[in-house]
Amino acid sequence: MIRFLHTADWQLGARFSQFGVKGARLREARLDTLERTLGLAEKQGVDAVLFAGDLFEDNQVEDALVERVVGLFAARPELLIYLLPGNHDPESGPDSVWHRKALLSAPANVHILREAKVVDLGGNAFLLASPLHQKLSTTDPSLRFVEMAADLPADAIKIGLTHGALAIEAKHQPNDFPIALNAATRAGLDYLAIGHWHNWLPDTDGGRIVMPGTPEPDRFANEHSGHVALVEIASAGQLPRVEALSVATLDWRELMFDFLNVESSRASLVAVLAELASAAAQTVLRVTLSGTAAPDALTEVRAWLDEALAPFLVGQLVDKSRVALSPTERADLQVRHPILAQVLADIDRLESFAGGTIAISPMISTGDETPLSPEPVIDALTLAQAQTLLGGAKIDLTQLTPEFFAQLRQTVFQTLQEESA
Amino acid sequence: MILHAIELYHVGRFRESVRLGPFAPGLNILSAPNESGKSISLNAAARALFDKHTTKGEELKALQPAGTDLAPRVVVEFETATGRFRIDKTFLQKPTSELRTWQSGTWELIAESDLADTRMQSLLQSTLPGRGATKPEHWGFLGFLWARQGEPAVWPGLDAAGVGQAIRSKLVQLELDPVIEALRQRLAAVTNPILTSTGQSRVGGPLRTAEDDLARIDAELAQLRETRAKLEDALVRYQSASSAVTQLEKEQAERAEAAETLQTQAQAAERLRGELQTHQHALTTAQEKLTTVAADSEQLAQLRTQLAETTAAITAAELTATAAAAKLTELRARLDASQTERPQRESALQARRDSLNRTQSLLRLREHTETASVIARQVAKAEATAAELATLEARKAKLADLSPATLRKLESLAEQTRTLGAQLQALGLTVELTPDHATKIIAEPPVTGHRSQLSLKPGETTTLNRPQTLDLHLPEWGRIVIRSGAQETQNVAKELETAQTALQTTLAKAEVPTLEAAREAVAERRELEAQQKTLHATFASQLGDHDRVEDLRDAAAAATRRVETLTTTLVPTKTEQALSQAELEATEAKFSAALPAEEKALKTFDRELDQLRTAERTVTQSEQAAAKSLQEQHSRQKIQEAKIAALTARYADGLEAAKTAAQIAFTQAEARFEAAKAQLPPDFDKLPERNKRAAASLQQISNDIQARRTERDQSKGTLETLGGQGLYSRETELEEKKAEAILRRDAARAKGWATRIAHDLIEHRKQAATKAVLTPLEQRLTAAFGELTGDATRQVFLNEQLQVIGIGRTREAMHAFEQLSQGAKEQLLLCLRLAVAQELAEDEPQVLILDDVLVNTDSVRQERILDVLAAQANHLQILILTCHPDRYRGVGEAISITG
C-alpha cells in the first residue's frame, strides 16, 4: 500500500496586480499554506508528497522565494518530496528555476524530476515522472508512460506524475499539453497525478486521474480550489482512495450593496462583515456598490465601508453607484442655487456628448413614484461650448466615462455639502 | 467714503505743512498750475489711506521733498458709513500711524500703528500686496472711482473677488449666490494643486506625482522586459546550440566510424601498392637491361660498317692530296712570270700619260696669256669711260639745280610779269620824248630797276612807259616827275611789283640770273644726263661680270699671275714655245687617242694575273683540305676501332648470349608485375584522398561542435546569470506598484477634471447670468454717454466682465474701445465710473476723483460733462483736479492748497 499527498499549481510568487502592493500579502499567505500543508503531510504520515507541476509561478522568481521554499522542505527531512516542473516552471535549461543554487543543492528529501524517469518509491511502488520542458506543446505528456510502465513489474503500483490540460472537448487548448482522458488506464497506471487547472477535479478516467486544483484560491471565482489530495492505493490494480483536504489560508469573498434597498443591503452587509471580522486578516473581500442614491447617502455609505474594510487583508470597494436627486431636491436646488441646477444640467449634456446614455437628468426612483420629467434648461450647453470649456483644460470629451460623470456629480454635491457644513 | 480734508507735512514741494480742504460734499474743483502739487497731494492721501505706515517703497520715497530725507506725514479726514475718521501717518523716518474718530466734538484715538493700518483696510475694504506699496487694485472702491492723472482710460476690471464682485453685483443687479461662489472657490482650491490653468498636471501635485511614479515604473519595467527578452533570446540560443551539439556529436560518431573503416582499407591498399611498386621496379630493370644489350649489338654492327667506310675514305683522300700538290707547283711557276712582266708595262703607259699632260699644260698657258691681255684692254676702256662719266658729272654739278617744275614756275612768273607790265603800260604813264637835240636823260624808275640813262636822238620819239611815276632828269634843265593817279594802275603796279619780286626771288633761289639762263641750265642738264646714261651702258658692258673697275683690275691681275705661275712650272723649251697653237693641239689629240688602248691592254694583263693568283690559292686550299681530310679519316678509324674493342670487351660471353639472357629476365619480371597488379582493389588510387577528406570532415565537425558548445555554454552562463536575478518577482512588484500608481493617477486626474469641469461650468453659468443682465447696464451707460456727447444713436457695449468693449450702432458693427479716441475713452469710463459710484453711493457716500482728465474733450462736450457732473454732485462727492481753471469757472467748490 502507499499513501501520498498529491498537490499542484501552488504558483508561488504569483502576481496580484488588481490589489496593488497588497499582493505581497497574498503571496506570503501561500507560503503559510505550504508550510501548513507540509505539516499536514507529516501528520498524515504519508510516504511522499507529489507536486504535479507549477510549484513556482515563473522560472524567474527571486532566489529568496526559492530558498524559503527549500527551507520549508528541508525543515521536514523525513518527508519525501517530489517536484515536477510544470508549464509555469518548465525544466527549460539553465534559466529554469530548477537550476537555482538552492534547488541544485536541495536536501536529500527533495527530489526534482527534471527528466522523464521512473523512481522506485519503495514498497513495490514506482513513480513515473513526465516533466515539462516548455510552456506550450501539443504533445500529450502522458504518452511516454505507456513505454515506461511496460518495463515495470505487473504487480507493482504505478503512479504517474505529469502536468497538462485534460483533453475535454471545448475545455482545453490544443497546444496546452493535452492529456488523454484515459491516460491512466492506457498506460496501466494505478493513479495519474496531474496539475494545471485550479479547481478540484477528481473523477477522470474512472477516478484514476485527479486534478487537485490550486491549494490557495487566486481569484474570486475559484469556489472549488483550496485543496490537496490525500491518496491511498492498496495494491496494484486497485482503485485509489482520494480525499480532498482543505488547506487554503485565505478566504475570498465578494459582497454586494445595492442602494435600491439600502436598509436591507446594509443589514446584510453588516451581518457578513461581523461574521468575517474574526478572520479578517485571512480574508480577501470585495464589496460592490450599485444603484443610485442621494449624494449624502452615497457619501455616508462609502465612508462607512472604507472604515469597515480596513481590517481585512485586502478590502476592495468597487463603486458602481450613481448620485441622483429626488424631484423635491431638484426643485429645491433650482430655487436656492439656480446656477448649480444649470450646472447639473450641463453635466448631463456633457455626458450625452461623451456618448453616455443620460439624456435626462438622473432621478431617484422611489418605488411607485414616477420620475418627473426633466426641467427644461435655458440656454442648454452646446457642443461647441462644451468643447471650448473642456479644451481650455485639455480634457478630451471622448475620454470621459459614465463613471467619471458619476464622480463629477458626486464631486459637486460633496463639495456643496462641505461648503454648506 | 468721502474726503473732508488732507494735510501734508514734508510732502513734495511742500517742505512745510499744507492743507487741502475742506472738501464739499458735491463738486470740488482743485485748480492749480502744473507741478503745483495737486496730484502728489492726492497720491499722498492714498498712501495714508491704503499703505501700511511701515512701507518703504519708491512710491513713499517719491513723497519726500527733493534732496531731503524728511519724513513725509499725511493726515486725511474722511467719512464712511460708519463714521468720520482721521488717519495720521508718518512714513520712512520713524513711521507712525494713528486713527482717530470724531466723537463728541473731538478726535479720539481708536488705533495706532499696525492696528490702525488694519482698521483702515477694514473701513475702506482695501487689501495689501505681498510686499511693497499698494496699487490702485488694492484701494477698494476708490481704485475704481479715481481716474488718475495720465491714466484716465485705465479701468481695473471687476473680476477680482471682493470689491470687484461687489461692484459687479451692484451694477448688474446680479444676485450672486455666495454658496455657489464659495463652491466655485472651493472647487478651484481642489483643482489647483492637481492641475494648472492649462490643464497640465501640476508639478508636485498628486497627479504629476502619480504620473512620474508611473513613468519611473514603466521605465523599470521596460528595462526588466528587455532583460527578459535577452533571457528568452539566450534560451533560444541555448536550446538551438544544445540541439546542434547533440546532432553534431551524433554525426561525429558516425563519421568517425566510417573514417576508421576507410583508413583500414587505405592501409591495405597501400601495402599492396608497395609490392606492386617493387615488381614494377624489377620489370623496369629487366627492360632496361634488354634494351641496353640490344642497343649495344646494334651499335657494334654500325661501328664495323663505319670502320670499313673510313678505310676507303683514307685511300681516296691520299690520291686527292697528291694531285693537288702537282697542280699547285705549275700554277706558281706561271704566276711568277707574270708578276715580273707587269712593272714594265706600267712604266710605258705612264710615260704616255706624261706627254699628254704636258701638251695640255702648254695649251692652257697660251689660253691664260690671251685672257690676261683681253682683260687688260677692258680695264683701259673702262677707266676711260669712268673718267668721261666723271667729267659729265662735274659739268652737271656746275649747273644750277633747277628742276623742270621750277623752270615752269619761272616761266609763269615771267609771263605774269610781262602781262602785268603790258597792263601797266596800257594803264600807266606813256611819255613820248622827242628832243630837238641829242641828249641824254635819266629816267627813273628804270625798267629793270637800274638807273636808266637814255640817249635821245633829235627828232626821234622815244616812248617811255611807266606805271605811275616817271622821274626824268634832264641835263642842265632839271627834273621832271610825272605821276599817275589811277587806282587800277596802282593795283596793277603793285601786282607787277609783287610778280617781279617773286620772279627775282625764284631766280635767286635757283641761282640763275635770268629766265633764259634757267632754260639753258635745264636744257644742258638734260643733255648731260642723256650722255651719262649712254656712257653708263657702255661702262657696264665694259665691266662685264664685274661691278666696278677695281674688280676688273683685280681680275686682270689674277689672270696675269696665272700665266706667270704656269710658265714657271712648265718652263717651256724654245721648241715648245715655237710650236704653234695648231701643232700643240694636234699633238694633244694624238696622245689622247692612244692612251685608252694602252690602258686597256694593261688592265687585261692585270686580270689574267689575278686569275693566276686565284687559281693558286684555290689549289693551295684544296691541297690543305685533302691533307686535313686524310688526317681526320685516320683519327676516325682509330676511334672506331677503340669503340669496337670496348664494346666487345663488356660482354664476356658475347653480345648475343647477353641479349638472350636479358630477354628471358624481362619476360619473367613482367609476369610477376601483372600478378601483383591484379591483387589491388578497385579505386585504390582514390582511397588516400577519401581518407584525407574523411579526416578533414571529422576535424570540421569537431570545430563546429566546439563552437556550438561555446555558444551553448555562453548562453547557459547568460541564462544562469539572468535567471537568477528574479526578474519575474521584480516585475511582479513593479506591476503591483504600477496598478496602484494607475489608480492614484486616475483618481487624481478624475478628481482634478471633475473639480475643474464643475468650476468651469459654474463660471460659465455665472457669466451667462451676468450677460443676461448686461443689457440694462448697457442701456444705462448708453444714455449717460449720449447725454455726455449729445449723440444718442451710439450704444455702449460691455462684455461679461463688465469691460467696455466698444460703441456703435450695433454690437457687430461697433468700434472697439481700443480704437476709440482718447477723449471718447475718457468719457466712456467717466460714464462707467459714475454708474459705479451711483450704485455704491446707495450704501455709503462715495467720492469720485478726476485728476486732470477730460483734457482731450472739446469745449462743447466739456459743457455737457459739467452738466452731468453737476447733476451727480447731488449724490456724490466729486473732486476734479485741473490746471485749466477756465474750464471750470463757476463750477462747484473751489479748493485751494493753503500753507
Side-chain angles (χ1 to χ4, degrees):
Chain A
M1 190 193 56
I2 185 168
R3 285 176 90 230
F4 57 89
L5 216 61
H6 166 207
T7 181
D9 299 298
W10 285 82
Q11 290 179 226
L12 299 173
R15 186 177 299 173
F16 296 96
S17 300
Q18 69 271 37
F19 301 128
V21 296
K22 290 184 184 172
R25 300 183 191 176
L26 277 73
R27 285 191 287 280
E28 189 62 32
R30 294 193 157 215
L31 289 170
D32 295 338
T33 306
L34 178 60
E35 188 174 11
R36 195 167 57 258
T37 302
L38 293 174
L40 184 64
E42 238 180 13
K43 192 174 166 187
Q44 291 285 344
V46 299
D47 297 310
V49 180
L50 307 183
F51 286 82
D54 290 358
L55 173 63
F56 297 102
E57 168 70 8
D58 191 273
N59 269 332
Q60 272 80 53
V61 293
E62 57 189 346
D63 275 341
L65 174 63
V66 176
E67 286 160 10
R68 276 190 69 181
V69 169
V70 172
L72 290 175
F73 294 152
R76 289 171 171 78
E78 302 302 320
L79 201 56
L80 286 179
I81 294 167
Y82 292 90
L83 307 175
L84 181 91
N87 68 305
H88 273 261
D89 51 4
E91 169 48 77
S92 54
D95 69 314
S96 166
V97 67
W98 306 108
H99 289 254
R100 299 289 179 87
K101 190 175 170 186
L103 286 169
L104 287 174
S105 57
N109 64 319
V110 177
H111 301 271
I112 301 169
L113 304 165
R114 295 187 177 86
E115 301 296 332
K117 65 197 293 186
V118 176
V119 178
D120 187 349
L121 295 175
N124 202 27
F126 292 87
L127 177 67
L128 289 71
S130 177
L132 301 191
H133 296 279
Q134 57 205 57
K135 288 185 182 297
L136 293 168
S137 175
T138 55
T139 305
D140 182 349
S142 68
L143 268 174
R144 53 164 59 106
F145 291 145
V146 177
E147 192 179 332
M148 289 164 77
D151 294 334
L152 296 175
D155 62 343
I157 297 172
K158 304 178 198 59
I159 303 163
L161 183 67
T162 191
H163 189 95
L166 284 169
I168 300 173
E169 189 71 28
K171 276 201 75 176
H172 80 286
Q173 297 295 327
N175 62 346
D176 200 12
F177 295 99
I179 298 174
L181 298 178
N182 66 336
T185 50
R186 178 179 64 185
L189 303 176
D190 296 292
Y191 182 85
L192 177 53
I194 65 174
H196 195 47
W197 291 341
H198 289 194
N199 282 323
W200 173 263
L201 193 65
D203 296 321
T204 309
D205 200 5
R208 293 191 184 278
I209 299 178
V210 173
M211 184 98 72
T214 180
E216 190 61 58
D218 51 11
R219 63 190 71 137
F220 287 103
N222 275 2
E223 300 89 14
H224 302 292
S225 58
H227 306 91
V228 295
L230 177 62
V231 183
E232 194 175 288
I233 305 174
S235 61
Q238 294 286 319
L239 208 61
R241 194 165 73 85
V242 180
E243 181 186 351
L245 300 180
S246 183
V247 295
T249 301
L250 302 179
D251 183 15
W252 291 58
R253 301 290 288 272
E254 193 169 14
L255 305 173
M256 308 297 291
F257 186 104
D258 191 348
F259 280 95
L260 185 64
N261 300 298
V262 173
E263 295 307 321
S264 63
S265 293
R266 182 187 288 270
S268 171
L269 197 58
V270 165
V272 172
L273 289 176
E275 177 194 326
L276 296 174
S278 60
Q282 283 86 40
T283 304
V284 179
L285 178 61
R286 173 188 287 168
V287 176
T288 303
L289 301 179
S290 62
T292 58
D296 52 351
L298 290 174
T299 306
E300 189 271 326
V301 167
R302 288 191 189 113
W304 165 62
L305 282 173
D306 280 342
E307 193 181 340
L309 293 178
F312 287 84
L313 179 70
V314 174
Q316 194 180 56
L317 183 62
V318 176
D319 190 349
K320 296 183 179 175
S321 64
R322 300 195 60 182
V323 67
L325 297 178
S326 67
T328 309
E329 287 171 328
R330 182 165 283 275
D332 179 60
L333 190 69
Q334 186 72 35
V335 171
R336 290 194 298 116
H337 306 295
I339 285 184
L340 189 58
Q342 288 172 335
V343 167
L344 288 175
D346 290 340
I347 292 173
D348 292 343
R349 294 280 291 174
L350 275 178
E351 186 167 11
S352 70
F353 293 146
T357 57
I358 305 295
I360 58 174
S361 300
M363 301 284 185
I364 295 175
S365 180
T366 52
D368 53 356
E369 278 189 32
T370 305
L372 295 177
S373 54
E375 294 283 345
V377 177
I378 299 171
D379 280 342
L381 187 73
T382 65
L383 180 59
Q385 288 172 333
Q387 287 172 338
T388 303
L389 200 132
L390 295 177
K394 289 193 176 52
I395 298 173
D396 184 356
L397 186 61
T398 59
Q399 285 187 306
L400 304 180
T401 61
E403 289 74 25
F404 171 77
F405 284 103
Q407 183 179 351
L408 174 56
R409 293 187 185 90
Q410 182 61 31
T411 300
V412 171
F413 288 117
Q414 191 168 337
T415 312
L416 183 63
Q417 277 180 343
E418 289 169 4
E419 185 57 35
S420 302
Chain B
M1 177 198 66
I2 60 173
L3 299 172
H4 284 289
I6 300 170
E7 291 175 19
L8 306 171
Y9 303 84
H10 308 313
V11 172
R13 59 191 294 271
F14 307 118
R15 288 178 183 255
E16 301 300 326
S17 67
V18 293
R19 180 179 172 85
L20 283 81
F23 298 115
L27 190 56
N28 298 271
I29 308 297
L30 172 59
S31 73
N34 287 334
E35 305 298 326
S36 59
K38 305 188 294 298
S39 297
I40 198 169
S41 303
L42 270 295
N43 287 338
R47 295 296 156 206
L49 290 169
F50 302 113
D51 282 280
K52 292 175 69 171
H53 65 287
T54 52
T55 304
K56 287 186 192 303
E58 287 302 317
E59 293 83 348
L60 279 303
K61 289 180 185 172
L63 297 179
Q64 286 178 311
T68 74
D69 58 355
L70 296 171
R73 180 182 165 211
V74 184
V75 180
V76 181
E77 293 176 17
F78 64 96
E79 183 178 338
T80 70
T82 56
R84 186 165 170 170
F85 300 90
R86 175 187 166 102
I87 182 67
D88 184 341
K89 285 188 183 172
T90 301
F91 295 99
L92 300 177
Q93 309 289 345
K94 296 180 184 174
T96 60
S97 178
E98 293 178 352
L99 179 63
R100 289 181 164 77
T101 186
W102 185 257
Q103 290 281 355
S104 307
T106 61
W107 289 107
E108 288 189 11
L109 182 67
I110 59 171
E112 286 180 290
S113 194
D114 290 341
L115 186 59
D117 295 341
T118 306
R119 286 291 299 273
M120 285 296 292
Q121 286 175 42
S122 174
L123 282 171
L124 303 178
Q125 296 183 57
S126 63
T127 58
L128 287 173
R131 54 183 297 177
T134 58
K135 292 183 172 53
E137 57 260 31
H138 303 113
W139 294 351
F141 292 125
L142 193 59
F144 295 90
L145 301 180
W146 185 348
R148 289 169 296 286
Q149 185 185 36
E151 300 176 1
V154 173
W155 179 246
L158 300 173
D159 287 334
V163 168
Q165 291 292 338
I167 294 175
R168 274 168 67 102
S169 65
K170 290 234 176 252
L171 285 176
V172 295
Q173 298 296 320
L174 178 66
E175 194 64 42
L176 292 175
D177 185 344
V179 170
I180 297 305
E181 179 56 26
L183 177 65
R184 188 189 70 81
Q185 290 177 14
R186 190 178 276 266
L187 288 168
V190 172
T191 308
N192 285 341
I194 301 173
L195 298 172
T196 64
S197 59
T198 57
Q200 305 291 337
S201 57
R202 190 175 291 279
V203 174
L207 177 57
R208 177 62 70 88
T209 303
E211 286 173 343
D212 291 345
D213 290 343
L214 261 177
R216 201 171 44 251
I217 292 169
D218 279 339
E220 287 185 51
L221 277 171
Q223 206 168 4
L224 263 179
R225 283 177 190 140
E226 198 179 317
T227 308
R228 285 202 77 161
K230 283 183 191 169
L231 191 68
E232 296 292 331
D233 286 343
L235 182 62
V236 168
R237 285 198 304 275
Y238 173 81
Q239 289 171 343
S240 166
S242 295
S243 172
V245 165
T246 306
Q247 191 71 22
L248 284 169
E249 283 173 347
K250 183 180 170 190
E251 187 183 345
Q252 186 184 46
E254 289 169 358
R255 282 186 180 264
E257 191 181 336
E260 198 176 331
T261 305
L262 197 62
Q263 193 175 20
T264 306
Q265 287 175 357
Q267 284 170 353
E270 200 58 31
R271 199 171 51 253
L272 285 172
R273 182 198 292 274
E275 288 177 10
L276 182 66
Q277 275 182 351
T278 305
H279 290 309
Q280 185 169 17
H281 183 66
L283 176 62
T284 305
T285 305
Q287 188 174 18
E288 284 175 357
K289 194 169 178 64
L290 179 61
T291 305
T292 304
V293 170
D296 286 348
S297 177
E298 193 176 327
Q299 190 179 13
L300 183 61
Q302 280 178 0
L303 283 170
R304 284 183 177 145
T305 304
Q306 286 171 4
L307 183 62
E309 288 172 357
T310 303
T311 306
I314 289 171
T315 307
E318 285 172 347
L319 286 173
T320 304
T322 306
K327 182 111 192 250
L328 183 63
T329 305
E330 182 202 346
L331 281 170
R332 282 182 177 157
R334 283 171 60 189
L335 184 62
D336 291 339
S338 294
Q339 284 176 339
T340 305
E341 187 183 340
R342 177 76 182 34
Q344 293 166 3
R345 284 181 173 243
E346 194 173 5
S347 299
L349 180 62
Q350 189 61 38
R352 183 73 70 194
R353 285 194 185 111
D354 292 340
S355 298
L356 177 61
N357 289 338
R358 185 169 179 84
T359 305
Q360 287 174 338
S361 296
L362 287 170
L363 282 169
R364 271 199 307 279
L365 176 61
R366 293 272 173 95
E367 187 181 332
H368 287 320
T369 304
E370 182 61 29
T371 301
S373 169
V374 167
I375 291 174
R377 283 198 295 278
Q378 270 186 320
V379 167
K381 285 180 184 173
E383 284 173 345
T385 304
E388 203 172 330
L389 277 170
T391 304
L392 287 175
E393 192 63 35
R395 283 173 61 190
K396 199 169 96 173
K398 288 180 184 171
L399 294 173
D401 189 8
L402 195 67
S403 67
T406 306
L407 179 61
R408 281 195 296 276
K409 186 176 175 184
L410 285 169
E411 286 176 346
S412 170
L413 287 169
E415 180 61 29
Q416 189 179 7
T417 304
R418 276 194 299 280
T419 303
L420 288 170
Q423 280 183 359
L424 186 64
Q425 194 161 24
L427 294 171
L429 295 171
T430 302
V431 177
E432 293 179 350
L433 300 171
T434 309
D436 291 331
H437 306 285
T439 190
K440 292 185 181 175
I441 61 170
I442 298 171
E444 290 184 9
V447 177
T448 60
H450 296 287
R451 197 170 181 182
S452 158
Q453 185 174 352
L454 298 171
S455 296
L456 302 177
K457 294 180 179 173
E460 282 189 11
T461 302
T462 304
T463 304
L464 298 177
N465 293 101
R466 296 288 183 274
Q468 283 185 299
T469 311
L470 182 60
D471 191 352
L472 294 174
H473 290 273
L474 300 172
E476 298 174 357
W477 189 85
R479 181 177 176 214
I480 299 173
V481 178
I482 306 169
R483 297 194 177 88
S484 173
Q487 182 65 38
E488 186 177 354
T489 304
Q490 291 180 4
N491 292 340
V492 171
K494 280 185 186 168
E495 288 180 24
L496 179 61
E497 192 179 344
T498 302
Q500 284 173 343
T501 304
L503 180 62
Q504 293 300 322
T505 302
T506 304
L507 285 171
K509 211 184 264 186
E511 295 178 0
V512 292
T514 63
L515 179 60
E516 279 303 319
R519 287 195 184 108
E520 286 174 6
V522 168
E524 194 175 344
R525 179 180 289 278
R526 193 179 294 125
E527 190 182 334
L528 284 174
E529 286 176 351
Q531 288 177 5
Q532 277 183 324
K533 186 175 176 184
T534 304
L535 278 176
H536 273 303
T538 303
F539 187 59
S541 68
Q542 288 168 352
L543 288 176
D545 293 333
H546 303 282
D547 292 330
R548 304 178 299 172
V549 174
E550 292 78 11
D551 295 336
L552 192 60
R553 287 194 196 105
D554 291 338
T560 303
R561 282 196 300 273
R562 276 199 295 274
V563 169
E564 290 171 355
T565 301
L566 200 55
T567 303
T568 306
T569 303
L570 288 175
V571 188
T573 61
K574 285 186 180 166
T575 306
E576 286 172 343
Q577 288 177 358
L579 288 173
S580 66
Q581 181 74 18
E583 288 172 340
L584 280 173
E585 287 174 356
T587 304
E588 192 263 343
K590 187 178 78 178
F591 285 151
S592 295
L595 188 61
E598 289 178 10
E599 286 175 343
K600 187 177 176 184
L602 181 61
K603 281 180 184 170
T604 304
F605 181 79
D606 283 335
R607 271 199 303 276
E608 289 173 357
L609 184 59
D610 287 333
Q611 285 172 357
L612 277 173
R613 287 196 186 106
T614 301
E616 188 265 345
R617 278 197 298 274
T618 304
V619 171
T620 302
Q621 285 172 359
S622 297
E623 189 204 10
Q624 287 172 351
K628 187 177 176 187
S629 172
L630 183 64
Q631 192 177 4
E632 285 174 356
Q633 293 299 331
H634 279 297
S635 297
R636 194 175 293 125
Q637 187 183 47
K638 282 182 187 163
I639 289 168
Q640 287 165 351
E641 287 171 350
K643 281 182 179 178
I644 290 169
L647 199 60
T648 51
R650 282 212 297 266
Y651 298 95
D653 297 332
L655 201 55
E656 286 303 316
K659 189 174 173 182
T660 304
Q663 280 174 340
I664 293 168
F666 173 76
T667 304
Q668 290 172 348
E670 193 176 37
R672 282 195 291 275
F673 172 78
E674 291 298 330
K677 191 174 173 182
Q679 287 180 13
L680 284 175
D683 295 336
F684 75 95
D685 54 340
K686 295 190 175 64
L687 285 176
E689 186 57 35
R690 288 181 188 168
N691 196 28
K692 212 189 297 183
R693 276 207 304 273
S697 298
L698 274 176
Q699 184 59 44
Q700 202 173 45
I701 289 176
S702 179
N703 292 342
D704 285 348
I705 289 172
Q706 188 57 40
R708 296 314 294 264
R709 277 184 187 150
T710 304
E711 185 184 343
R712 182 194 61 189
D713 294 341
Q714 283 174 349
S715 302
K716 182 180 175 187
T718 304
L719 287 171
E720 287 170 350
T721 305
L722 294 179
Q725 289 181 0
L727 297 174
Y728 182 80
S729 297
R730 286 163 57 190
E731 195 178 61
T732 295
E733 196 181 323
L734 287 171
E735 286 288 353
E736 288 171 353
K737 282 183 184 172
K738 180 175 176 177
E740 272 212 2
I742 290 173
L743 286 174
R744 280 190 287 121
R745 182 201 64 188
D746 292 348
R749 181 190 291 162
K751 185 176 179 182
W753 283 1
T755 51
R756 174 66 185 262
I757 290 173
H759 170 276
D760 290 352
L761 283 173
I762 290 173
E763 191 58 40
H764 168 71
R765 283 297 165 190
K766 270 180 54 182
Q767 288 182 5
T770 302
K771 193 173 177 184
V773 295
L774 271 182
T775 304
L777 178 59
E778 286 177 340
Q779 290 171 349
R780 189 170 155 188
L781 291 175
T782 298
F785 187 66
E787 199 175 334
L788 278 183
T789 60
D791 180 4
T793 60
R794 289 187 295 178
Q795 299 182 54
V796 178
F797 297 104
L798 305 173
N799 62 11
E800 290 82 6
Q801 285 75 37
L802 300 187
Q803 295 275 11
V804 177
I805 56 174
I807 56 174
R809 296 193 189 283
T810 63
R811 186 179 287 269
E812 291 72 27
M814 68 177 175
H815 297 284
F817 182 79
E818 293 74 23
Q819 294 169 353
L820 297 174
S821 66
Q822 195 66 14
K825 287 180 186 173
E826 291 169 5
Q827 291 148 26
L828 275 170
L829 288 178
L830 176 61
C831 293
L832 190 54
R833 287 192 169 97
L834 282 170
V836 169
Q838 284 166 12
E839 294 299 329
L840 294 175
E842 288 182 1
D843 297 330
E844 181 180 291
Q846 297 294 333
V847 60
L848 177 67
I849 303 175
L850 305 175
D851 187 349
D852 216 1
V853 300
L854 305 175
V855 293
N856 297 303
T857 302
D858 59 72
S859 58
V860 173
R861 204 163 285 192
Q862 174 87 16
E863 285 299 314
R864 292 182 184 278
I865 290 171
L866 288 178
D867 293 339
V868 169
L869 291 177
Q872 292 298 324
N874 295 326
H875 313 290
L876 299 172
Q877 182 185 51
I878 300 174
L879 176 58
I880 296 177
L881 282 68
T882 181
C883 55
H884 297 285
D886 54 302
R887 293 190 178 189
Y888 298 92
R889 297 250 189 260
V891 176
E893 191 73 28
I895 303 296
S896 58
I897 303 172
T898 55

